[in-house]
Amino acid sequence: MYENPRLLIDSSNPPEAGSVVWRSPSNIAIIKYWGKYGIQLPKNPSLSLTLASSFTDTQLEYEFKDEAHGGAIDLDFFFHQQPNEAFQAKTQAFLESLIPVFPFLKQLRLTIRTGNSFPHSAGIASSASAMSALALCLCSLEDTLFGTLQDSAEYDRKASFVARLGSGSACRSVFPHAAVWGETSLVSGASNEYAVPVGDLIHETFRELHDDILIVSSDEKAVSSRAGHALMDGNPYAESRYAQAKQRLSVLLDAMKTGDLESFGKIAEDEALTLHALMMCSNPSYLLMQPGSVAIIEKVREYRAATGHPLYFTLDAGPNVHLLYPGEIIHEVRAFIEDELKEYCENGRVQEDWVGEGPEEM
Ligand code: DP6
């Protein structure tokens, strides 16, 4: 939808070399995106909270090159100051695929310097922050060269669209507080092509929620997201799952508008367990939790029953457990993590995060 062959640099009037820099956060889905079709289109709508302390910084340097319009993407890539062949190849292929959207990329020599605020091997998904940061840089570059993205809503929409092509969940990271991706009549303007912000619709409780990520294991994922999504195609529960996600989104949005933490927490936990159950009954089957994940979940349930405190968990497609709770109980929760949960974390590792204001141009 954003293909635009006119976005080419006039070689008789080339731009000066320059750079753009964005910091973009990760996000945690409450309604999970699991199952896709076509070119990165979701089988059901999802909703996520935008995080703050888990982010990627990306600098995109550009310089006009004299060669005619042909040619491939000319890219140097550094991850935490080091050349990284695997990331370079992946980014190169992604940029090639974006030439119809940003045809001027062939006319530039590009250098990308990127890094995360969290250790690469922390088991924290970095594709959402990395792909959203890159998409925002590309839109900034377009706007710098052509002045075509002056409208900030249009800018964000295009950045979300481009981020989605890199990694589905990344399209939701472009917005502050919370975002919905995928067609639904519940949110005006919602689309399969890009996410829309819903931070303004929700109660302030959720704009200030904490998410402490308990790192149970930092091992490489047992199954890539791409393979995981593909497994949904043969999953016997797929269709009822997609219907369930739509229904849950409706209940969740109501809870988030009114500040109903209990209903929010119930859905967050049900969604996490549903995601893991879907993986268990896929073919081949995957057990993505580890004993420590199960122990943490049980402890959280006991803690809630004993204290009545609104502490809830969610998980991505891996063993790490995200603990969601409001700031009022931070001291109690941090003590509980210290005393009873850290023992299940790899080297006692916890990434403290919270709902944030979205990406920032640096
Ligand atoms: C479990 O966005 O990583 O985190 O589109 O193939 O890059 P690709 O998948 P990805 O899938 C994320 C799945 C999830 C749930 C979610 O974030 O909604």
Side-chain angles (χ1 to χ4, degrees):
M1 68 183 269
Y2 279 108
E3 297 193 6
N4 185 351
R6 282 168 305 154
L7 291 178
L8 278 171
I9 296 165
D10 171 4
S11 55
S12 66
N13 184 21
E16 281 181 24
S19 73
V20 292
V21 187
W22 276 89
R23 168 170 294 178
S24 189
S26 186
N27 68 74
I28 178 69
I30 306 302
I31 302 290
K32 308 291 184 185
Y33 147 57
W34 201 241
K36 61 177 166 180
Y37 69 97
I39 301 179
Q40 296 278 94
L41 298 166
K43 288 277 201 170
N44 64 263
S46 57
L47 180 149
S48 62
L49 297 174
T50 304
L51 296 177
S53 85
S54 310
F55 57 78
T56 298
D57 282 338
T58 297
Q59 175 176 40
L60 174 62
E61 294 168 17
Y62 58 93
E63 189 184 4
F64 185 72
K65 58 177 187 190
D66 290 331
E67 292 101 297
H69 299 154
I73 296 288
D74 188 344
L75 174 69
D76 282 326
F77 189 98
F78 299 90
F79 181 67
H80 290 279
Q81 277 89 50
Q82 302 295 322
N84 182 312
E85 276 181 34
F87 287 174
Q88 158 127 10
K90 223 180 136 191
T91 309
Q92 175 109 16
F94 179 48
L95 294 178
E96 305 272 358
S97 76
L98 288 177
I99 286 177
V101 178
F102 301 116
F104 57 86
L105 290 177
K106 303 175 297 195
Q107 298 176 282
L108 299 170
R109 191 181 318 279
L110 301 168
T111 304
I112 291 177
R113 298 175 203 280
T114 186
N116 299 331
S117 63
F118 46 91
H120 176 56
S121 59
I124 297 177
S126 57
S127 69
S129 54
M131 286 302 167
S132 55
L134 179 56
L136 286 155
C137 284
L138 292 168
C139 289
S140 273
L141 179 53
E142 175 189 322
D143 195 44
T144 304
L145 297 174
F146 304 97
T148 37
L149 291 171
Q150 295 289 303
D151 178 77
S152 75
E154 178 52 23
Y155 183 101
D156 289 349
R157 199 176 303 124
K158 183 160 185 177
S160 179
F161 170 90
V162 172
R164 182 202 107 226
L165 298 175
S167 177
S169 56
C171 73
R172 299 182 309 232
S173 276
V174 169
F175 301 99
H177 308 123
V180 164
W181 170 39
E183 274 162 20
T184 167
S185 57
L186 300 165
V187 177
S188 98
S191 168
N192 282 348
E193 304 270 356
Y194 44 79
V196 293
V198 295
D200 288 347
L201 302 180
I202 63 177
H203 194 273
E204 60 179 329
T205 304
F206 300 105
R207 290 200 294 262
E208 293 166 2
L209 212 64
H210 284 262
D211 176 6
D212 289 347
I213 310 168
L214 308 186
I215 311 297
V216 173
S217 168
S218 62
D219 291 349
E220 277 283 306
K221 288 203 251 179
V223 57
S224 70
S225 297
R226 177 177 302 205
H229 289 288
L231 286 173
M232 282 301 281
D233 292 338
N235 190 301
Y237 302 105
E239 288 313 316
S240 52
R241 155 61 192 160
Y242 302 139
Q244 174 191 59
K246 286 176 199 161
Q247 243 165 20
R248 283 180 174 165
L249 179 63
S250 166
V251 180
L252 180 72
L253 280 168
D254 284 344
M256 290 182 80
K257 283 174 191 163
T258 57
D260 178 354
L261 258 174
E262 200 178 330
S263 305
F264 166 90
K266 169 95 175 88
I267 290 181
E269 295 189 351
D270 288 350
E271 274 290 291
L273 296 173
T274 301
L275 170 69
H276 282 257
L278 287 165
M279 289 306 285
M280 284 185 218
C281 64
S282 289
N283 188 13
S285 148
Y286 287 95
L287 248 180
L288 301 177
M289 282 192 214
Q290 292 194 358
S293 326
V294 176
I296 292 168
I297 289 171
E298 285 184 331
K299 290 251 176 185
V300 168
R301 286 176 165 172
E302 282 166 22
Y303 176 85
R304 204 161 59 223
T307 63
H309 287 161
L311 173 67
Y312 303 97
F313 66 83
T314 185
L315 295 88
D316 271 340
N320 301 328
V321 184
H322 292 240
L323 293 187
L324 304 167
Y325 61 92
E328 295 91 81
I329 56 168
I330 189 165
H331 298 301
E332 293 87 337
V333 172
R334 291 276 165 84
F336 170 56
I337 292 175
E338 199 58 47
D339 297 345
E340 300 201 39
L341 304 182
K342 262 201 171 160
E343 63 187 280
Y344 303 107
C345 300
E346 191 178 85
N347 304 320
R349 202 134 111 200
V350 178
Q351 167 90 3
E352 293 171 356
D353 215 329
W354 54 90
V355 173
E357 302 296 318
E360 238 183 296
E361 186 160 20
M362 314 284 288

